[in-house]
PDB file of all heavy atoms in Angstrom:
ATOM      1  N   VAL A 207     -11.202-107.171   5.789  1.00 96.00           N
ATOM      2  CA  VAL A 207     -12.556-106.647   6.213  1.00 96.00           C
ATOM      3  C   VAL A 207     -12.976-107.428   7.409  1.00 96.00           C
ATOM      4  O   VAL A 207     -12.969-108.659   7.409  1.00 96.00           O
ATOM      5  CB  VAL A 207     -13.470-106.837   5.000  1.00 96.00           C
ATOM      6  CG1 VAL A 207     -14.901-106.347   5.528  1.00 96.00           C
ATOM      7  CG2 VAL A 207     -13.053-106.023   3.830  1.00 96.00           C
ATOM      8  N   VAL A 208     -13.466-106.695   8.413  1.00 95.00           N
ATOM      9  CA  VAL A 208     -14.094-107.261   9.632  1.00 95.00           C
ATOM     10  C   VAL A 208     -15.533-106.995   9.567  1.00 95.00           C
ATOM     11  O   VAL A 208     -15.992-105.864   9.292  1.00 95.00           O
ATOM     12  CB  VAL A 208     -13.475-106.640  10.905  1.00 95.00           C
ATOM     13  CG1 VAL A 208     -14.240-107.145  12.120  1.00 95.00           C
ATOM     14  CG2 VAL A 208     -11.981-106.918  11.062  1.00 95.00           C
ATOM     15  N   VAL A 209     -16.342-108.042   9.618  1.00 96.00           N
ATOM     16  CA  VAL A 209     -17.847-107.917   9.600  1.00 96.00           C
ATOM     17  C   VAL A 209     -18.429-108.218  10.871  1.00 96.00           C
ATOM     18  O   VAL A 209     -18.325-109.341  11.470  1.00 96.00           O
ATOM     19  CB  VAL A 209     -18.395-108.905   8.497  1.00 96.00           C
ATOM     20  CG1 VAL A 209     -19.874-108.717   8.367  1.00 96.00           C
ATOM     21  CG2 VAL A 209     -17.693-108.732   7.130  1.00 96.00           C
ATOM     22  N   ASP A 210     -19.122-107.242  11.446  1.00 95.00           N
ATOM     23  CA  ASP A 210     -19.846-107.418  12.663  1.00 95.00           C
ATOM     24  C   ASP A 210     -21.287-107.792  12.444  1.00 95.00           C
ATOM     25  O   ASP A 210     -21.894-107.315  11.520  1.00 95.00           O
ATOM     26  CB  ASP A 210     -19.802-106.099  13.498  1.00 95.00           C
ATOM     27  CG  ASP A 210     -18.544-105.867  14.173  1.00 95.00           C
ATOM     28  OD1 ASP A 210     -17.597-106.710  14.137  1.00 95.00           O
ATOM     29  OD2 ASP A 210     -18.368-104.699  14.743  1.00 95.00           O
ATOM     30  N   TYR A 211     -21.816-108.787  13.251  1.00 93.00           N
ATOM     31  CA  TYR A 211     -23.163-109.197  13.114  1.00 93.00           C
ATOM     32  C   TYR A 211     -23.565-109.607  11.745  1.00 93.00           C
ATOM     33  O   TYR A 211     -24.418-109.095  11.106  1.00 93.00           O
ATOM     34  CB  TYR A 211     -24.157-108.147  13.598  1.00 93.00           C
ATOM     35  CG  TYR A 211     -23.660-107.468  14.948  1.00 93.00           C
ATOM     36  CD1 TYR A 211     -23.511-106.071  14.990  1.00 93.00           C
ATOM     37  CD2 TYR A 211     -23.479-108.216  16.083  1.00 93.00           C
ATOM     38  CE1 TYR A 211     -23.072-105.525  16.159  1.00 93.00           C
ATOM     39  CE2 TYR A 211     -23.054-107.658  17.259  1.00 93.00           C
ATOM     40  CZ  TYR A 211     -22.841-106.262  17.286  1.00 93.00           C
ATOM     41  OH  TYR A 211     -22.439-105.656  18.464  1.00 93.00           O
ATOM     42  N   PRO A 212     -22.830-110.619  11.103  1.00 92.00           N
ATOM     43  CA  PRO A 212     -23.056-110.935   9.699  1.00 92.00           C
ATOM     44  C   PRO A 212     -24.443-111.515   9.424  1.00 92.00           C
ATOM     45  O   PRO A 212     -24.937-111.486   8.310  1.00 92.00           O
ATOM     46  CB  PRO A 212     -22.006-111.968   9.485  1.00 92.00           C
ATOM     47  CG  PRO A 212     -21.612-112.479  10.822  1.00 92.00           C
ATOM     48  CD  PRO A 212     -21.798-111.373  11.813  1.00 92.00           C
ATOM     49  N   ASN A 213     -25.094-112.046  10.487  1.00 91.00           N
ATOM     50  CA  ASN A 213     -26.414-112.671  10.256  1.00 91.00           C
ATOM     51  C   ASN A 213     -27.603-111.696  10.539  1.00 91.00           C
ATOM     52  O   ASN A 213     -28.752-112.116  10.504  1.00 91.00           O
ATOM     53  CB  ASN A 213     -26.587-113.879  11.171  1.00 91.00           C
ATOM     54  CG  ASN A 213     -25.554-114.963  10.848  1.00 91.00           C
ATOM     55  OD1 ASN A 213     -25.176-115.201   9.658  1.00 91.00           O
ATOM     56  ND2 ASN A 213     -24.937-115.544  11.906  1.00 91.00           N
ATOM     57  N   SER A 214     -27.317-110.440  10.860  1.00 89.00           N
ATOM     58  CA  SER A 214     -28.368-109.481  11.128  1.00 89.00           C
ATOM     59  C   SER A 214     -28.498-108.500   9.948  1.00 89.00           C
ATOM     60  O   SER A 214     -27.515-107.854   9.495  1.00 89.00           O
ATOM     61  CB  SER A 214     -28.003-108.684  12.430  1.00 89.00           C
ATOM     62  OG  SER A 214     -28.906-107.612  12.646  1.00 89.00           O
ATOM     63  N   ALA A 215     -29.763-108.365   9.458  1.00 85.00           N
ATOM     64  CA  ALA A 215     -29.946-107.508   8.356  1.00 85.00           C
ATOM     65  C   ALA A 215     -29.822-106.039   8.705  1.00 85.00           C
ATOM     66  O   ALA A 215     -29.324-105.206   7.914  1.00 85.00           O
ATOM     67  CB  ALA A 215     -31.349-107.663   7.815  1.00 85.00           C
ATOM     68  N   LYS A 216     -30.114-105.609   9.964  1.00 86.00           N
ATOM     69  CA  LYS A 216     -30.105-104.266  10.398  1.00 86.00           C
ATOM     70  C   LYS A 216     -28.729-103.900  11.044  1.00 86.00           C
ATOM     71  O   LYS A 216     -28.236-102.772  10.809  1.00 86.00           O
ATOM     72  CB  LYS A 216     -31.167-103.951  11.398  1.00 86.00           C
ATOM     73  CG  LYS A 216     -32.651-104.007  10.856  1.00 86.00           C
ATOM     74  CD  LYS A 216     -33.641-103.655  11.845  1.00 86.00           C
ATOM     75  CE  LYS A 216     -35.033-103.651  11.325  1.00 86.00           C
ATOM     76  NZ  LYS A 216     -36.045-103.342  12.299  1.00 86.00           N
ATOM     77  N   ALA A 217     -28.141-104.784  11.779  1.00 89.00           N
ATOM     78  CA  ALA A 217     -27.010-104.468  12.578  1.00 89.00           C
ATOM     79  C   ALA A 217     -25.650-104.792  11.869  1.00 89.00           C
ATOM     80  O   ALA A 217     -24.556-104.438  12.392  1.00 89.00           O
ATOM     81  CB  ALA A 217     -27.020-105.118  13.909  1.00 89.00           C
ATOM     82  N   LYS A 218     -25.672-105.462  10.716  1.00 93.00           N
ATOM     83  CA  LYS A 218     -24.496-105.844   9.970  1.00 93.00           C
ATOM     84  C   LYS A 218     -23.697-104.606   9.579  1.00 93.00           C
ATOM     85  O   LYS A 218     -24.130-103.652   9.043  1.00 93.00           O
ATOM     86  CB  LYS A 218     -24.835-106.618   8.723  1.00 93.00           C
ATOM     87  CG  LYS A 218     -23.691-107.276   7.959  1.00 93.00           C
ATOM     88  CD  LYS A 218     -24.179-108.032   6.843  1.00 93.00           C
ATOM     89  CE  LYS A 218     -23.013-108.791   6.076  1.00 93.00           C
ATOM     90  NZ  LYS A 218     -23.527-109.602   4.995  1.00 93.00           N
ATOM     91  N   LYS A 219     -22.365-104.650   9.994  1.00 95.00           N
ATOM     92  CA  LYS A 219     -21.506-103.495   9.747  1.00 95.00           C
ATOM     93  C   LYS A 219     -20.125-104.084   9.162  1.00 95.00           C
ATOM     94  O   LYS A 219     -19.587-105.077   9.553  1.00 95.00           O
ATOM     95  CB  LYS A 219     -21.197-102.743  10.992  1.00 95.00           C
ATOM     96  CG  LYS A 219     -22.389-102.064  11.629  1.00 95.00           C
ATOM     97  CD  LYS A 219     -22.898-100.931  10.695  1.00 95.00           C
ATOM     98  CE  LYS A 219     -24.087-100.211  11.349  1.00 95.00           C
ATOM     99  NZ  LYS A 219     -25.257-101.038  11.575  1.00 95.00           N
ATOM    100  N   PHE A 220     -19.583-103.335   8.182  1.00 96.00           N
ATOM    101  CA  PHE A 220     -18.363-103.584   7.573  1.00 96.00           C
ATOM    102  C   PHE A 220     -17.272-102.609   7.986  1.00 96.00           C
ATOM    103  O   PHE A 220     -17.452-101.425   7.915  1.00 96.00           O
ATOM    104  CB  PHE A 220     -18.448-103.539   6.019  1.00 96.00           C
ATOM    105  CG  PHE A 220     -19.296-104.659   5.457  1.00 96.00           C
ATOM    106  CD1 PHE A 220     -20.671-104.456   5.397  1.00 96.00           C
ATOM    107  CD2 PHE A 220     -18.783-105.769   4.901  1.00 96.00           C
ATOM    108  CE1 PHE A 220     -21.531-105.451   4.873  1.00 96.00           C
ATOM    109  CE2 PHE A 220     -19.581-106.783   4.355  1.00 96.00           C
ATOM    110  CZ  PHE A 220     -20.920-106.589   4.298  1.00 96.00           C
ATOM    111  N   TYR A 221     -16.119-103.166   8.466  1.00 97.00           N
ATOM    112  CA  TYR A 221     -14.989-102.370   8.842  1.00 97.00           C
ATOM    113  C   TYR A 221     -13.826-102.810   8.037  1.00 97.00           C
ATOM    114  O   TYR A 221     -13.332-103.960   8.163  1.00 97.00           O
ATOM    115  CB  TYR A 221     -14.678-102.432  10.362  1.00 97.00           C
ATOM    116  CG  TYR A 221     -15.770-101.941  11.259  1.00 97.00           C
ATOM    117  CD1 TYR A 221     -16.900-102.787  11.562  1.00 97.00           C
ATOM    118  CD2 TYR A 221     -15.806-100.623  11.713  1.00 97.00           C
ATOM    119  CE1 TYR A 221     -17.865-102.236  12.376  1.00 97.00           C
ATOM    120  CE2 TYR A 221     -16.777-100.128  12.524  1.00 97.00           C
ATOM    121  CZ  TYR A 221     -17.872-101.002  12.855  1.00 97.00           C
ATOM    122  OH  TYR A 221     -18.878-100.449  13.643  1.00 97.00           O
TER     123      TYR A 221
END
Side-chain angles (χ1 to χ4, degrees):
V207 178
V208 175
V209 183
D210 284 352
Y211 315 122
N213 299 320
S214 173
K216 294 182 179 180
K218 187 176 182 179
K219 296 291 184 296
F220 292 83
Y221 295 87

